[in-house]
Amino acid sequence: MTTTPTRAPGPAAEGCPTGPVQVGPGWHEGRGPTAVQAPPSTSSPAPAPAAQAPPPVTASLSPSRAADFVNCPLRYRFRVVDRLPEAPSEAATRGTVVHGVLERLFDLPARGRTQPAAAELVEPVWADLLARDPALGDLFDDDGALNSWLDSARDLLTGYFTLEDPTRLAPAARELYVEHVLPSGLRLRGYVDRLDAAETPQGTALRVIDYKTGRSPGPAFEGAAMFQMRFYALVLWRSRGVIPRELRLYYLGDRTWLRAAPEESELRATERRIEALWSAIARAHRTGDWRATPNRLCDWCDHKSRCPAFGGTPPPLPEKHAELPVDDAAPAVCEADG
């Protein structure tokens, strides 16, 4: 059975404790396991991770690169095969800043995780990002443009506080790198924005959280949006032997969130889909057939000028284009607009 994502425009408040909060383990400090009122899982657990060595890695895939190929194989080629540089953008950089603030917010004591505190973190996070990549300063013509952009990041963070109360949360991990090598040698990997964990009578319960700084998709695209979350759920299940109880996507742009409770059958179907997707990618590598697929994302693509769908000419394929790249480049910590 397929679980349909649930859309909610207001606070993600179900299961949140009321009244005095005692510090303790779990999703919600002092009330951890009550955060999700899900029935005990009847699915069989994945085998515990074996002590034997994993299969040799022959290729790697992250949710963002998988989405690239699904949306436009040519864009995947430009990014992974040609490795063409892409100019920084205000939207993507703002997403990085917002993710950085939300990560640091949980370094503060619970009572200090307030909207004003998050707003105060914006400039230090931006300063650290600028120190690592001074070219980002060229995004803004003057201080006025920069200050307006910083305010837009603060507004997104205000949106976050309408979705949940971080003073009641005790995350198990933030910006968690996860990976698992399938028997085929395909390594699945990526960063989970936040992982909540709680011990229940049925065992460890996991909740996966992802922040998006864009607006939520229309109902027709909710399933595609949840693919990234099921990708992470699959990796966590295969690597830890635990199926996450809940997947949540927070869209700070319009202060909406999506949730789903994955089932074992869905994760097995996700694994089959990923393997089929990789077979298609491998076929494109062998044949050199990387087709452009014009869609609503084209206006934001760095490679539009070289795309044949818009009168451009792609550069010649690299000499070893038929070889499957392992793609050891660091996966993106965030995809700014989802």
Side-chain angles (χ1 to χ4, degrees):
M1 182 177 69
T2 299
T3 302
T4 302
T6 301
R7 174 183 294 269
E14 82 299 338
C16 291
T18 57
V21 178
Q22 302 296 320
V23 175
W27 289 328
H28 288 69
E29 294 179 345
R31 300 285 287 276
T34 67
V36 172
Q37 304 297 333
S41 175
T42 57
S43 61
S44 58
Q52 62 188 22
V57 175
T58 58
S60 293
L61 190 65
S62 68
S64 54
R65 295 294 79 82
D68 282 344
F69 187 83
V70 169
N71 290 325
C72 180
L74 185 59
R75 189 185 194 203
Y76 175 96
R77 176 206 143 171
F78 287 151
R79 284 183 155 182
V80 177
V81 180
D82 298 288
R83 297 182 184 269
L84 298 178
E86 296 182 351
S89 70
E90 290 187 19
T93 306
R94 179 171 49 235
T96 302
V97 168
V98 169
H99 277 73
V101 170
L102 291 174
E103 180 182 11
R104 292 190 189 185
L105 186 68
F106 287 99
D107 289 331
L108 301 176
R111 292 184 179 180
R113 299 170 195 159
T114 63
Q115 187 275 328
E120 290 180 3
L121 285 171
V122 168
E123 288 199 37
V125 170
W126 163 243
D128 289 348
L129 189 62
L130 189 60
R132 294 195 301 271
D133 187 359
L136 293 176
D138 296 335
L139 287 171
F140 310 102
D141 295 331
D142 51 43
D143 288 345
L146 172 60
N147 290 333
S148 177
W149 178 81
L150 292 172
D151 284 341
S152 69
R154 295 186 185 99
D155 183 64
L156 290 172
L157 289 163
T158 298
Y160 164 74
F161 283 86
T162 69
L163 298 175
E164 67 177 5
D165 180 0
T167 67
R168 296 174 179 268
L169 298 171
R174 291 159 282 149
E175 301 297 354
L176 175 67
Y177 177 76
V178 295
E179 72 168 44
H180 174 70
V181 182
L182 298 177
S184 64
L186 177 61
R187 177 176 59 189
L188 310 182
R189 61 184 187 144
Y191 280 94
V192 172
D193 285 347
R194 198 180 84 217
L195 185 68
D196 298 341
E199 294 304 320
T200 75
Q202 293 77 38
T204 302
L206 300 178
R207 179 169 65 190
V208 183
I209 306 292
D210 194 77
Y211 312 116
K212 299 296 185 186
T213 52
R215 300 178 66 84
S216 60
F221 298 97
E222 288 176 0
M226 272 292 173
F227 171 74
Q228 172 190 4
M229 304 302 287
R230 291 193 176 94
F231 187 110
Y232 291 142
L234 171 64
V235 174
L236 289 167
W237 178 41
R238 291 305 192 191
S239 60
R240 299 189 179 199
V242 177
I243 295 177
R245 289 275 190 92
E246 187 180 27
L247 312 174
R248 287 191 181 188
L249 272 170
Y250 288 152
Y251 288 93
L252 309 186
D254 57 0
R255 306 181 182 189
T256 298
W257 55 289
L258 299 177
R259 63 179 294 186
E263 299 179 356
E264 180 179 334
S265 59
E266 290 178 305
L267 298 189
R268 291 188 184 278
T270 297
E271 186 171 84
R272 292 193 297 271
R273 180 184 175 189
I274 290 171
E275 289 282 22
L277 178 62
W278 185 253
S279 294
I281 294 173
R283 183 166 56 251
H285 275 289
R286 291 193 304 271
T287 63
D289 184 9
W290 301 96
R291 301 186 181 185
T293 307
N295 57 68
R296 61 190 178 90
L297 301 177
C298 292
D299 288 341
W300 293 274
C301 182
D302 287 79
H303 311 293
K304 187 174 180 179
S305 62
R306 56 177 65 93
C307 178
F310 297 93
T313 302
L317 279 164
E319 184 176 345
K320 297 182 179 181
H321 70 271
E323 296 181 5
L324 294 175
V326 173
D327 188 16
D328 282 320
V333 172
C334 78
E335 292 294 315
D337 292 315

